[in-house]
Amino acid sequence: MTSRRFVQVDVFADRPGAGNPLAVVLDAEGLTDDAMQAIARWTRLPETTFVFPASSEAASYRIRMFSPRREVPFAGHPSVGTAHVVLDAGLAHPRDGVLVQEGIAGCLPLAVVGEGAARTIAVRTPRARIVEVASSEDPRLRTALASLPPGALPPALMDGGRRWWLAEVADESSLRAATPQWDAIAALAEATGSMGVCAFARSAGGSDYDLAVRAFVGATACFEDAASGAANATLAAWLAARDALPGQDGGYRVSQGREVGHDAMLELRVDADGEVWSGGRVQSVVRGMIDWR
């Protein structure tokens, strides 16, 4: 087989162009690791996923995800976006409102609520742990956080499959106006084995979200992520650990991506067991075939 179904979607979006783009290749059996990496490099999107039949009876389908540079063990927006494509293609159906994704990170449930354009999907993310709590005056952090006036919580390094430095900013306007210190963020990412800095601030009020978030990636390449389900999941775990969750009953909404021309909206929830669910809506933008020999 050389022709396979191909779908491009926008994740954490209420309309095309608002969220984080993702390419999904269905019918991926027969593709080699090199071919999947080449396709991911060719799409030039943050991630490309490949869907296979599940090897576990407990799973709905199996997934592999690649950035343009390497295979990724877990990421939030590819998980949510792929589930949307699998549902639309009729390859799996929720059981009691839940799909199960099989991948490198294990079998992870995805909660499916609603149908059609109003449908939301949330993945239960791998458990995150606190690696280190630091100070904004820490020599490793000082320059990287120079444009970010500190908020109430100290900076923390969290590991949820990928490591992120989390930094609360004093107010939303300062966060949105901040200029990333890319050289310092890249140096921090390399020195600490992290993705970079996920900065956040409480909403200024009068909006339909509780937090504003900016994720500055310094690992392998420097860019600002339009919408990161995994970074936001580690943030939710940190806020829960500090009894500092916004919203009500463990659920809240995040605005991300406006500074890079997007307008993503993520829905986060910390359940009674302390598990973090990261999700939102997904828009299908391109449907067709990919012919890869």
Side-chain angles (χ1 to χ4, degrees):
M1 179 188 293
T2 59
S3 293
R4 294 169 169 86
R5 287 174 289 177
F6 176 91
V7 184
Q8 186 168 324
V9 296
D10 206 11
V11 185
F12 307 131
D14 63 356
R15 63 192 185 281
N20 207 352
L22 170 74
V24 180
V25 178
L26 300 170
D27 319 308
E29 301 97 317
L31 286 172
T32 65
D33 290 5
D34 287 345
M36 287 186 281
Q37 186 63 76
I39 292 170
R41 187 165 53 246
W42 173 77
T43 67
R44 297 187 180 182
L45 296 178
E47 274 95 15
T48 300
T49 63
F50 300 85
V51 179
F52 300 85
S55 61
S56 166
E57 291 185 0
S60 307
Y61 55 92
R62 183 164 62 91
I63 183 177
R64 293 182 68 180
M65 39 182 100
F66 288 76
S67 77
R69 293 176 176 81
R70 61 187 176 87
E71 186 167 11
V72 177
F74 172 77
H77 101 272
S79 299
V80 171
T82 302
H84 170 87
V85 173
V86 166
L87 287 170
D88 278 0
L91 295 180
H93 303 280
R95 297 180 182 175
D96 298 323
V98 175
L99 291 173
V100 178
Q101 169 185 289
E102 178 187 356
I104 293 175
C107 288
L108 299 175
L110 296 107
V112 180
V113 178
E115 296 180 357
R119 181 175 62 203
T120 63
I121 301 170
V123 60
R124 192 189 72 192
T125 61
R127 280 264 184 174
R129 62 182 180 89
I130 301 171
V131 177
E132 180 183 353
V133 179
S135 162
S136 56
E137 293 304 313
D138 186 307
R140 299 169 299 168
L141 300 172
R142 188 181 301 121
T143 305
L145 304 182
S147 65
L148 302 168
L153 295 179
L157 180 61
M158 294 285 291
D159 191 330
R162 289 176 167 183
R163 289 187 174 190
W164 282 95
W165 279 99
L166 307 177
E168 183 171 11
V169 180
D171 57 80
E172 182 180 351
S173 60
S174 295
L175 173 66
R176 293 198 180 278
T179 300
Q181 307 298 308
W182 288 118
D183 288 346
I185 291 170
L188 175 65
E190 182 176 4
T192 58
S194 66
M195 294 296 295
V197 174
C198 177
F200 67 98
R202 309 277 167 169
S203 168
S207 55
D208 59 352
Y209 55 88
D210 301 287
L211 293 182
V213 168
R214 298 182 68 182
F216 306 124
V217 179
T220 67
C222 290
F223 66 96
E224 182 167 351
D225 200 329
S228 174
N232 273 286
T234 61
L235 173 56
W238 168 238
L239 293 174
R242 285 294 177 125
D243 196 25
L245 286 168
Q248 296 180 343
D249 301 323
Y252 64 94
R253 304 186 82 201
V254 169
S255 167
Q256 187 178 353
R258 291 182 181 178
E259 293 72 26
V260 287
H262 298 258
D263 191 15
M265 195 68 68
L266 297 86
E267 298 183 8
L268 278 295
R269 180 171 61 89
V270 181
D271 67 21
D273 296 322
E275 302 285 0
V276 177
W277 298 77
S278 179
R281 293 167 61 184
V282 183
Q283 307 296 318
S284 296
V285 182
V286 177
R287 296 180 181 88
M289 305 294 291
I290 183 169
D291 191 356
W292 201 271
R293 293 178 172 83

